[in-house]
Amino acid sequence: MLKQQIQDDMKTAMKAGDKVRLGVIRLMLVAIKQREIDERIELDDPQVLVVLDKMLKQRRDSITQYSAAGREDLADVERFEVEVIQGYLPTALTDEELNTLLDAAIASSGAAAMSDMGKVMAIVRPQVQGRADMGAVSAMVKQRLAG
């Protein structure tokens, strides 16, 4: 399980004295544990990917804001966190693979208009979670459905 791998990596980082990496790993474990407590469930790998994907989105937003404010020191910290988190995500989809998945989802859902976007996203989300930026995927679906 992905959660177990993260816990094992935390132990490795502790033994190696890698305090910066350890801090990021602890943040990931806290986010996972918080969701488990909130929902009173044990998260499986797809659910852990959702948590990690959300953390990535938050970090990317922070990088944009810090860079706009001229705080590259803080943006660099966020970039390092993004690197560590991405290490636990599956290999990113290529544009070609993503386009193929989107075409198949639109065809299987029978989507023809923007009002059908929810149907398409319901099919696509589990397939691309953690492997592509959901904001970009959403924009691509909108573009295809708009014409």
Side-chain angles (χ1 to χ4, degrees), residues 18-141:
D18 190 350
K19 291 182 182 181
V20 180
R21 184 174 189 80
L22 178 61
V24 178
I25 292 171
R26 282 184 172 155
L27 285 174
M28 293 182 336
L29 287 172
V30 165
I32 292 166
K33 190 68 174 172
Q34 183 64 50
R35 177 137 180 240
E36 287 180 338
I37 290 170
D38 289 348
E39 298 181 17
R40 294 188 172 106
I41 59 170
E42 180 81 18
L43 296 182
D44 57 5
D45 282 356
Q47 292 167 320
V48 170
L49 287 177
V50 169
V51 172
L52 296 180
D53 205 32
K54 183 178 178 182
M55 289 180 74
L56 270 181
K57 183 181 182 319
Q58 291 168 339
R59 278 20 182 216
R60 288 184 180 127
D61 290 346
S62 295
I63 291 169
T64 303
Q65 291 173 1
Y66 288 144
S67 294
R71 295 295 310 264
E72 287 303 315
D73 56 327
L74 296 174
D76 288 341
V77 170
E78 297 291 326
R79 284 186 190 98
F80 178 75
E81 290 181 8
V82 165
E83 254 180 60
V84 172
I85 295 168
Q86 282 180 331
Y88 295 97
L89 298 176
T91 308
L93 292 170
T94 64
D95 288 339
E96 187 177 306
E97 292 171 325
L98 187 57
N99 286 328
T100 303
L101 282 172
L102 292 178
D103 291 341
I106 289 170
S108 69
S109 67
M114 284 298 292
S115 59
D116 299 325
M117 185 169 171
K119 293 178 191 175
V120 176
M121 290 303 290
I123 294 169
V124 170
R125 183 173 282 113
Q127 297 173 352
V128 301
Q129 190 73 52
R131 300 178 68 196
D133 178 21
M134 290 307 293
V137 171
S138 178
M140 291 172 76
V141 171

